Every structure is written in C-alpha cells, then in structure tokens.
Amino acid sequence: MSFRTHLESVVNQVDGALACSVMGFDGISVETHQKEEAGELELNGAWVEYANLLSQLKQAAETLKTGEVHEVSINSENVLTLMRLISPEYFLVLALRADGNYGKGRYVLRVIAPRIRAEL
C-alpha cells in the first residue's frame, strides 16, 4: 500500500479532516493528500514551521528527561493540527477544521502510524 492510500484513508475517516501528510523533520513532505476545501489554507508553509517546532520539543523532552514525544497538537482558531511521530526522521501531520473530530483524528493517526513506519 502506498503512503497516498494511507493518507487518503485518514482524511476520509475523520470528520472535518482537510489534509494529511508524511513529513520529514527537515520540513519536506514525503507525500500529502489534501481536500479541495483546504486549498485556500497555506498548510505546507505551516507544516514546515511545525516541523521545526516539533524538533525543538523533542530536544526539550530529551533535555528534561520527560521521555519521548509521541504526539503534539496545535489548536488555532481555524485549524486543528495533530502531529504524530512515526520514526526518528518522520512524522504524520493531520489538519482538521476547528470543528473537526479531534479524538477520532488522534485515534486514526495512532493506528495508521505503525503501518506507515513499516513502509519507510
């Protein structure tokens, strides 16, 4: 199964999902699936910035000895963003409308992450 198939599955399963991507910590997207309604948003630019933020959070957790970071969410006025680490180099990112199903998004990312990790 390709990354795109997994990403389409995530977007189709979660109410309010706009886009999902496999990203590297360098800010480069490996693969993305995006709904048309997300076209007006600058998600790729946001995700590049979030990749940097996630790297800093990983370092902070290591420094503070709090354990590995598994998931981070950024909840802004219009978009809920969920990020789930899938390997030391890659993470999944899911954008939802503000009224999207946050809990289901977290669940689906947690379930799909091992499948994508196996294909890396």
Side-chain angles (χ1 to χ4, degrees), residues 26-77:
D26 57 4
I28 298 173
S29 171
V30 174
E31 184 70 69
T32 300
H33 175 70
Q34 182 171 315
K35 286 185 171 179
E36 270 187 46
E37 66 185 278
E40 65 191 41
L41 300 170
E42 180 48 51
L43 294 176
N44 287 333
W47 291 349
V48 168
E49 296 300 326
Y50 292 168
N52 184 35
L53 178 63
L54 192 53
S55 292
Q56 291 176 12
L57 289 171
K58 280 178 44 180
Q59 281 185 317
E62 186 177 310
T63 301
L64 298 170
K65 299 184 185 336
T66 60
E68 291 183 15
V69 173
H70 296 286
E71 182 181 275
V72 172
S73 66
I74 299 173
N75 304 337
S76 59
E77 184 178 351

Side-chain angles (χ1 to χ4, degrees), residues 70-119:
H70 296 286
E71 182 181 275
V72 172
S73 66
I74 299 173
N75 304 337
S76 59
E77 184 178 351
N78 298 318
V79 179
L80 303 175
T81 303
L82 298 168
M83 295 172 282
R84 179 162 246 340
L85 279 73
I86 53 177
S87 78
E89 298 87 22
Y90 298 98
F91 64 97
L92 280 167
V93 60
L94 173 65
L96 302 158
R97 289 189 318 261
D99 63 348
N101 192 336
Y102 178 80
K104 178 110 183 233
R106 290 186 66 213
Y107 170 77
V108 172
L109 287 185
R110 186 171 44 86
V111 169
I112 207 81
R115 296 178 193 165
I116 292 176
R117 181 176 41 248
E119 293 185 24

